[in-house]
């Protein structure tokens, strides 16, 4: 609708470019690749039927197939950006947990890590039936969540 209202009917390339940017943005939100490809196909159907052929007719000419290719590339590019962003976030999480583990007084770091487990077990009697490693794992998970936020 934005593409249709923003540009005149004769400016089909600009209209399709708006659709490609929308597909890219949607795919970059981190949805599955198959869903982003399905979105590209639906965007192609809408753009061919309503933005290019204003009568609502679908065409399968060479230019229509090029538009489909553009939208598929936009979907794959958005999915690739989302994957790189997730990978970078995982790398940051791994590095921050390694740095935290190397610090004294943190779980797994220095001599005070074991002392902290014993203090937690004494303080939290309701966790007494769990293994001592569970408390450390739980604290590590809480530390990771805090560092991501």
């Amino acid at each position: 609708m934005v593409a249709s209202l923003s540009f005149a009917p004769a400016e089909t390339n600009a209209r399709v470019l708006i659709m490609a940017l929308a597909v890219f943005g949607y795919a970059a939100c981190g949805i599955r690749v198959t869903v982003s490809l399905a979105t590209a196909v639906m965007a192609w159907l809408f753009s061919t039927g309503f933005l290019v052929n204003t009568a609502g007719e679908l065409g399968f000419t060479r230019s229509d197939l090029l538009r489909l290719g553009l939208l598929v590339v936009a979907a794959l590019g958005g999915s690739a950006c989302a994957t790189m962003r997730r990978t970078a976030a995982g790398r940051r999480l791994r590095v921050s947990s390694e740095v935290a583990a190397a610090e004294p007084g943190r779980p797994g770091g220095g001599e005070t890590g074991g002392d902290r487990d014993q203090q937690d077990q004494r303080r939290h009697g309701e966790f007494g039936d769990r293994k001592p490693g569970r408390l450390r794992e739980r604290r590590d998970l809480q530390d990771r969540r805090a560092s991501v936020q």
Side-chain angles (χ1 to χ4, degrees):
M1 194 166 154
V2 171
S4 176
L5 296 174
S6 299
F7 297 100
E11 299 177 17
T12 57
N13 290 337
R15 289 175 153 205
V16 173
L17 183 62
I18 295 292
M19 290 293 281
L21 289 174
V23 168
F24 179 85
Y26 184 69
C29 290
I31 60 172
R32 292 182 179 176
V33 175
T34 54
V35 175
S36 65
L37 290 174
T39 304
V41 170
M42 288 181 2
W44 174 73
L45 291 172
F46 280 115
S47 64
T48 300
F50 298 110
L51 297 179
V52 176
N53 303 326
T54 56
E57 297 176 8
L58 292 176
F60 296 100
T61 64
R62 179 178 165 91
S63 60
D64 292 323
L65 295 177
L66 287 174
R67 281 189 282 274
L68 175 62
L70 171 72
L71 293 169
V72 166
V73 167
L76 292 174
S79 294
C81 285
T83 301
M84 288 188 307
R85 192 174 61 239
R86 274 193 305 264
T87 303
R91 210 173 281 136
R92 280 193 307 269
L93 178 64
R94 230 179 2 260
V95 167
S96 66
S97 65
E98 289 171 2
V99 168
E103 294 176 3
R106 300 291 293 212
E111 297 177 7
T112 59
D115 296 338
R116 186 174 171 191
D117 283 338
Q118 291 174 357
Q119 292 171 358
D120 282 346
Q121 282 181 347
R122 278 188 239 119
R123 200 176 314 133
H124 304 289
E126 67 269 16
F127 299 120
D129 59 337
R130 294 186 182 174
K131 297 178 182 175
R134 290 276 192 185
L135 290 172
R136 183 178 301 131
E137 291 170 6
R138 186 169 183 212
R139 249 194 338 271
D140 288 345
L141 180 62
Q142 290 170 346
D143 291 342
R144 284 187 202 133
R145 286 181 183 158
S147 68
V148 169
Q149 293 174 355

